[in-house]
Amino acid sequence: MPNLMRNDLIIEGNNVPQVLDAIGFKSTVPLIGEVLIDFGRIMPQPQDIVGEAVSAWRCDNWGSLGLYDGARSGDIFELTGNKARFKFYTAFWQPHGGSAVPAIETLAKRFPAFKFHLRAWEQQEHVVGDVAWENGQRTLCVPLFPLKLDRRGLPANEPITAEIKTAAAQMVKAAVENYRGAPPSQTRIRDAESILADVIAESGSHVLVNAETLALVEVEFEPTGNGMPCLFIEVDPLSDALRAAWDLEEAVKWKAELTETEHLRGTLGLDFLVPDQSRAVRFALLPFTAAAMNDPYRVIAPVIRYLNVDPVSGKYDVKNNPAIEWEIRHVCLTRFDVSQIKGLPDEEQTPYDIDIVMTHSEGHAFGYEFSRISTKARWKQDPELAEQVEKAAVEASDALAAKLAGKAGVAIFDDLQSADPEHRKAMELAVFLNGNPGSV
């Protein structure tokens, strides 16, 4: 089965509808079977090819076996007389490819008075690339490269730091000096520095020193037919040094977070709930006093810990249905922990409504993984037990508030509805615990 390739296309120039008409663009979507761009209108498929020759011809001339499906509302981002910005999907099937570069290149040559920019993003393996055209010629080419991913397997979205900007400027300067044609304008040079900085951040190349970054990212200006050089940026996708640096950076990051949590445990006198190695901890969040910290960012929240569960899976013996043995504890959550837990409840639920299992993160030296083990918080099912738990939680909340009172950078909540709207971290906590952004 092919993977999904997202293509984001920008068209700019006077009378953009002229180009849109040529590609069969439909602005009233969704329409069953309709698409925002018809490759067949850009370059019609010959009628005399059949069988496997069809796939080969389409990949050579369209860049893909075809469009993935019809357009949906929300696929059009901007539409004016001078600019159109929209997305469409194609089928990405190795080794055939899947980005729409060949089709858009044909379109750009047909309409040289317009600017085109295409970003292709394969959304399973998370590889991206960019190509831009002006006056019918390429002005930018960034072949597909793998994005740096976070621990969830999603793009890490690393910030562009001053160090990255400096490295990008140095690399573009070297590329300009090596280019034998007329030097690019200062505007083009600034644009190149910005584009390169994005690529370095997205690929994770910045985790290495500049000398090694230079070896991982190739940057040069290539001549074109109209005298305007094409910026070419290529990332080495198979660099062992880069992958090793990612692993090292992650280990350092999680080691630092673990150290900070241990420091808080000692200074605040709180015994945070954590799992032993190869063991699971089952708990449910409780809707009582919690706290948020700025530096380091942490959420401290009360939980009921279930004691008589299977120590590896966190499950109860359903056949015997034992009475719940429990205790009130607190968890100390990082921003990533919070993001994991936010994704566990169903749409109409809050994090209070479910039982959660916490384990050591598989395949990583540091950090924890959180998963939902029950769609209903087990302690709530017994009214008598619920009353006991709530009473104990109130006592634990009073003790937490007393320990944290007056601590710098700590926000305490007796009632989450009255969270201070000026305290950004406090707002994040309130939204997280309430499950309703409108309640803050």
Side-chain angles (χ1 to χ4, degrees):
M1 291 291 292
N3 295 342
L4 194 62
M5 174 73 82
R6 170 174 166 168
N7 298 268
D8 286 57
L9 180 62
I10 301 174
I11 307 173
E12 294 181 279
N14 293 326
N15 194 19
V16 166
Q18 177 187 358
V19 181
L20 299 181
D21 289 343
I23 63 176
F25 182 88
K26 300 290 192 303
S27 61
T28 53
V29 294
L31 295 174
I32 297 177
E34 295 289 355
V35 295
L36 296 178
I37 181 170
D38 183 350
F39 291 164
R41 296 183 63 164
I42 298 174
M43 181 172 288
Q45 176 182 310
Q47 296 182 356
D48 58 348
I49 59 173
V50 295
E52 294 183 359
V54 172
S55 297
W57 185 92
R58 289 184 175 184
C59 289
D60 289 341
N61 295 277
W62 294 350
S64 170
L65 299 179
L67 295 180
Y68 193 80
D69 57 9
R72 300 289 184 268
S73 59
D75 286 356
I76 301 173
F77 306 123
E78 185 175 353
L79 187 58
T80 68
N82 297 323
K83 186 175 182 180
R85 186 165 63 92
F86 59 93
K87 67 177 179 179
F88 59 92
Y89 293 89
T90 50
F92 182 83
W93 202 336
Q94 293 284 23
H96 304 293
S99 77
V101 170
I104 304 305
E105 185 149 79
T106 299
L107 184 66
K109 291 179 178 179
R110 183 184 302 175
F111 294 93
F114 296 84
K115 296 180 181 179
F116 297 82
H117 185 284
L118 179 70
R119 160 155 276 216
W121 173 17
E122 193 280 302
Q123 297 188 297
Q124 182 167 325
E125 300 298 329
H126 292 296
V127 295
V128 299
D130 288 86
V131 184
W133 298 263
E134 190 172 343
N135 297 324
Q137 300 288 335
R138 288 192 187 187
T139 56
L140 171 68
C141 181
V142 185
L144 292 174
F145 67 89
L147 295 172
K148 182 184 178 185
L149 306 179
D150 63 19
R151 297 173 68 251
R152 297 167 295 173
L154 299 176
N157 294 320
E158 297 281 358
I160 299 176
T161 63
E163 182 183 14
I164 291 177
K165 292 180 180 179
T166 298
Q170 292 173 347
M171 296 166 73
V172 170
K173 180 181 179 181
V176 172
E177 292 173 349
N178 291 329
Y179 180 59
R180 295 186 178 182
S185 67
Q186 288 301 310
T187 299
R188 288 271 292 158
I189 291 175
R190 288 193 296 270
D191 290 344
E193 292 173 356
S194 177
I195 293 169
L196 179 56
D198 286 337
V199 172
I200 292 174
E202 288 179 324
S203 66
S205 303
H206 63 285
V207 302
L208 301 179
V209 297
N210 288 346
E212 290 177 308
T213 300
L214 289 169
L216 290 172
V217 183
E218 178 184 351
V219 184
E220 62 182 4
F221 286 97
E222 298 180 336
T224 61
N226 60 7
M228 181 179 293
C230 173
L231 174 63
F232 178 86
I233 303 173
E234 185 171 26
V235 179
D236 176 6
L238 302 176
S239 169
D240 292 336
L242 179 56
R243 298 187 185 280
W246 288 355
D247 293 341
L248 176 60
E249 183 191 42
E250 181 177 282
V252 170
K253 181 188 302 181
W254 285 102
K255 179 63 175 178
E257 291 209 351
L258 183 62
T259 300
E260 291 285 3
T261 301
E262 289 297 324
H263 177 69
L264 287 174
R265 183 200 297 258
T267 57
L268 300 179
L270 294 172
D271 184 17
F272 299 130
L273 179 62
V274 295
D276 294 329
Q277 198 69 37
S278 303
R279 296 297 181 99
V281 169
R282 177 170 177 162
F283 67 89
L285 285 163
L286 298 173
F288 294 94
T289 299
M293 297 183 173
N294 280 329
D295 187 19
Y297 174 81
R298 294 290 187 275
V299 170
I300 299 175
V303 300
I304 173 177
R305 179 192 181 184
Y306 301 96
L307 297 173
N308 56 329
V309 296
D310 183 274
V312 176
S313 67
K315 295 181 179 179
Y316 271 101
D317 184 350
V318 179
K319 293 182 179 180
N320 295 326
N321 194 27
I324 295 176
E325 297 177 14
W326 57 278
E327 64 178 357
I328 301 296
R329 297 287 295 275
H330 287 87
V331 290
C332 183
L333 306 174
T334 66
R335 188 180 298 277
F336 178 64
D337 296 337
V338 170
S339 69
Q340 288 188 77
I341 294 175
K342 285 172 64 176
L344 298 180
D346 291 332
E347 186 175 351
E348 301 300 322
Q349 291 183 309
T350 73
Y352 299 129
D353 299 327
I354 63 175
D355 280 349
I356 299 170
V357 165
M358 174 170 54
T359 58
H360 278 273
S361 182
E362 183 177 355
H364 298 275
F366 309 102
Y368 304 106
E369 290 185 356
F370 297 82
S371 58
R372 184 177 70 178
I373 196 169
S374 174
T375 56
K376 295 181 179 180
R378 195 178 181 93
W379 70 274
K380 291 184 177 182
Q381 309 311 306
D382 181 342
E384 183 177 348
L385 173 62
E387 184 177 351
Q388 297 174 13
V389 170
E390 289 173 356
K391 181 179 178 181
V394 169
E395 295 175 356
S397 296
D398 291 341
L400 175 68
K403 286 179 179 289
L404 299 182
K407 298 286 187 181
V410 179
I412 304 173
F413 301 90
D414 294 322
D415 179 359
L416 293 176
Q417 300 292 338
S418 61
D420 178 6
E422 298 300 322
H423 197 300
R424 183 170 63 86
K425 303 305 182 186
M427 291 178 66
E428 292 181 2
L429 171 63
V431 172
F432 160 58
L433 291 175
N434 285 333
N436 179 11
S439 65
V440 178

